[in-house]
Amino acid sequence: MPQSNRFADYLEIIRQQIRWKRVQPYVLQEIENHLTDQKDAFERNGIDEETAIIKAKAEMGDPVVVGEQLDRTHRPKPDWPLLAMTAILIFLGLSIQFIIGTDIYNGMEMFYKQVIWAGLAAIVFLVAYFLDFTILGKYSLIIYLLLVAITLSDYWFSDVRTTGYNTAIYPLLLFPTIFAGLVYRMRNKEYGGLVLCGAAVIVPALLGLLIHNSTVLFLIGTSCLIILTVAIAKGWFNVRKLYALIILYLSSAVTFSIMLFMMNDYAWNRLHVVLNPSLDPTGAGYITTLIQRLLLHSRLFGEGLPVSDYGQYPISKILPEANTDFLLTYLTYKFGWILFIGIILIFLAFIVRSVIISKRQKSVLGQLVSLAIILTLVLQFLTFVTSNLGFMLFGPVSLPLISYGGRGLLINMCLIGFLLSIFRTGSLVSDDTEVAGIKSSRLIQYENGKIIIKLKATQ
Amino acid sequence: MSINKSLLTGSTTMLILKLLEETDMYGYEMIEELSKKSQNIFKLKAGTLYPLLHGLEHKDMLTSYEKSTGNQRIRKYYSITKTGRKYLNEKTKEWKVYTVAINNVLGGVDFAPVQ
């Protein structure tokens, strides 16, 4: 725009007053538009261009004062309660790891490892927190492909014999978030965009199947389904909402039925035992039966009553994975339901507050990505709690920030870093104006008393 | 009814919300409209308007969206929210009580408006 040079010196002074760099282009664009409008108005009244520019600047006022006022309005807004809760959860997690560490075999060694991982996770958190989260929208395809590559190599090189599970489950936890970025990119792309989004779920879902982890599969499937439902319901795909929802749920139901159909005898057998652990109390139903017995003997405060069937051994000898998979069962039996309730309440507070702030986000990208992150955290939390209560349909993956395991901690801190970054800077993010672009490509337009008929379509 | 001390400084907010109650507008339009409606009495400086608009947006009283216009300029339109309407309602009531009180003092019985 030729005008921009005329106002450049004035805009530069305003820019220098605004300390938050990322807000500058958004604000200056609006001010420049205003100056141009004002100048045009003066010119229409017969004033020459030079004078009009000077007068337009004078109308706006002293650029230093204007800049200072804008600076005061635009400060990043860290959400201190959520930051505090994240810190509390990390310290609570480490304290719990220390307490359990003194009780179980090799526990202290694992505790020290977890402290080191917590340090690394804090760095990852800060990077995600200060990174511009809009890259998740802009480069969603590249990030998606990168993540597929990382997960595949993790799957390939994972040493299942030493870890007991495939470590690819952790990068898989990032998929819903990247998926939200893809949905953002595909918005306004109608049915084609919707189909492409559906296709994007296939790769992580297949990986979830390959590593035999029903929890991860459930987490990815449910999150992506909810994200798409919200995107369709809010009209972001520009399609008939009802049709699109029918297509989405029909295809999900078909996929789900095919998966059930392909389940082998072993899986069916497991499912039966999950629903009724007493069918096989010493085999596949062993853990479930043990957990149910431990919880039945737990008290509100203090250590639970002795469980007779398992000899007189302490809980640390009979419950496996006390610091990871069954941490809540351990804590409940060892210290009482009060600790269980306390941990649940902190998580609930975190989740409820996140949902409230997420709903306030103005940009489509901010809403989608924060929804995806909240879902990833909530579903991990829910599957962990239910399995620790003895309902093992979906086994535990991790209790975010608390259960033992470096990769889980790293991934969850990265997700929370992005979430709080959205909440800190989301107010200034606006989506690209594609919808407006479509409007202006209409053949006949009415504007300022003029009817404009385009004889050639421009798009 | 207690009168907010920031009534006078807050009156600009009230005027802007009132304008937006009818239709969505961009900044320049608001200044023009305000000047027209007040018969050139209120000449709001653009330098005051934008920090105020952005502040109201942070407080969820306004939302904004961008719309491109014919000459390829993208304009930021502001739209009043439910919170904004509620706030405007309260402020308008306060304002009425305030002006009645002022009139009562200034003009005594003769100036009191007919209820």
Side-chain angles (χ1 to χ4, degrees), chain A residues 262-278:
Chain A
M262 283 170 60
M263 263 168 63
N264 53 25
D265 288 346
Y266 168 75
W268 274 114
N269 203 16
R270 260 201 58 137
L271 190 63
H272 276 295
V273 176
V274 163
L275 299 174
N276 192 358
S278 60

Side-chain angles (χ1 to χ4, degrees), chain A residues 104 151 348 366 443:
Chain A
I104 61 170
T151 317
L348 277 184
L443 290 180

Side-chain angles (χ1 to χ4, degrees), chain A residues 145-307:
Chain A
L145 293 174
L146 258 176
L147 194 60
V148 168
I150 291 171
T151 317
L152 276 175
S153 63
D154 209 349
Y155 170 72
W156 216 258
F157 295 114
S158 179
D159 188 1
V160 181
R161 264 166 300 172
T162 49
T163 49
Y165 59 92
N166 196 300
T167 48
I169 52 175
Y170 294 110
L172 275 172
L173 292 179
L174 291 172
F175 268 101
T177 306
I178 302 307
F179 180 74
L182 279 177
V183 173
Y184 169 78
R185 282 287 296 276
M186 292 296 141
R187 75 192 196 289
N188 299 328
K189 300 260 191 299
E190 306 181 11
Y191 290 105
L194 194 59
V195 170
L196 279 174
C197 286
V201 189
I202 295 175
V203 178
L206 277 178
L207 277 167
L209 272 178
L210 270 178
I211 60 172
H212 300 296
N213 193 312
S214 58
T215 311
V216 169
L217 198 57
F218 167 70
L219 190 147
I220 291 173
T222 314
S223 318
C224 294
L225 190 62
I226 295 177
I227 292 167
L228 280 180
T229 308
V230 169
I232 292 172
K234 292 210 173 187
W236 291 334
F237 275 108
N238 244 340
V239 290
R240 289 279 293 272
K241 288 177 190 173
L242 188 66
Y243 290 170
L245 285 174
I246 291 173
I247 293 172
L248 175 65
Y249 279 85
L250 263 184
S251 50
S252 305
V254 168
T255 317
F256 185 69
S257 324
I258 292 175
M259 268 166 45
L260 278 185
F261 189 70
M262 283 170 60
M263 263 168 63
N264 53 25
D265 288 346
Y266 168 75
W268 274 114
N269 203 16
R270 260 201 58 137
L271 190 63
H272 276 295
V273 176
V274 163
L275 299 174
N276 192 358
S278 60
L279 284 176
D280 188 9
T282 53
Y286 172 75
I287 284 284
T288 317
T289 315
L290 173 64
I291 288 173
Q292 285 170 354
R293 303 220 40 132
L294 285 171
L295 292 179
L296 274 174
H297 288 78
S298 297
R299 295 185 299 176
L300 185 57
F301 299 99
E303 192 165 349
L305 304 166
V307 183

Side-chain angles (χ1 to χ4, degrees), chain A residues 1 3 26-27 29-31 33-34 36-38 40-42 44 58-61 66 69-70 73-75 77 360 362 427-428 430-431 433 436-437 439-440 445 447 452, chain B residues 26-29 31-32 43-60 62-78:
Chain A
M1 249 182 273
Q3 287 95 336
Y26 297 98
V27 173
Q29 175 74 56
E30 194 180 18
I31 300 288
N33 277 340
H34 184 99
T36 314
D37 277 335
Q38 185 74 71
D40 292 350
F42 281 133
R44 273 197 299 276
E59 278 288 312
M60 180 70 79
V66 175
Q69 279 178 323
L70 286 167
T73 339
H74 293 284
R75 307 288 323 140
K77 289 191 179 52
R360 265 193 240 146
K362 288 189 200 97
S427 62
L428 67 92
S430 59
D431 303 306
T433 49
K439 270 183 196 156
S440 66
Q445 284 178 67
E447 202 171 281
I452 303 160
Chain B
Y26 56 96
Y28 183 76
E29 228 179 338
I31 294 182
E32 292 280 284
K43 289 208 161 158
L44 190 55
K45 280 254 186 233
T48 323
L49 176 71
Y50 288 101
L52 192 69
L53 286 176
H54 297 174
L56 288 174
E57 209 183 345
H58 287 313
K59 286 181 203 152
D60 286 330
L62 301 179
T63 55
S64 66
Y65 57 92
E66 289 179 342
K67 208 165 130 183
S68 69
T69 58
N71 50 8
Q72 302 206 321
R73 206 179 295 159
I74 293 170
R75 282 210 168 104
K76 198 170 165 194
Y77 278 80
Y78 291 87

Side-chain angles (χ1 to χ4, degrees), chain A residues 17-84:
Chain A
Q17 316 306 316
I18 304 172
R19 279 170 289 174
W20 192 9
K21 283 211 171 64
R22 273 166 56 193
V23 83
Q24 291 170 353
Y26 297 98
V27 173
L28 291 182
Q29 175 74 56
E30 194 180 18
I31 300 288
E32 187 185 329
N33 277 340
H34 184 99
L35 287 167
T36 314
D37 277 335
Q38 185 74 71
K39 185 201 73 142
D40 292 350
F42 281 133
E43 281 184 309
R44 273 197 299 276
N45 288 342
I47 296 172
D48 68 282
E49 200 186 352
E50 283 304 314
T51 324
I53 288 169
I54 295 167
K55 282 190 74 149
K57 289 184 200 169
E59 278 288 312
M60 180 70 79
D62 182 352
V64 176
V65 177
V66 175
E68 279 171 358
Q69 279 178 323
L70 286 167
D71 176 59
R72 237 169 286 146
T73 339
H74 293 284
R75 307 288 323 140
K77 289 191 179 52
D79 189 69
W80 295 110
L82 283 177
L83 279 167

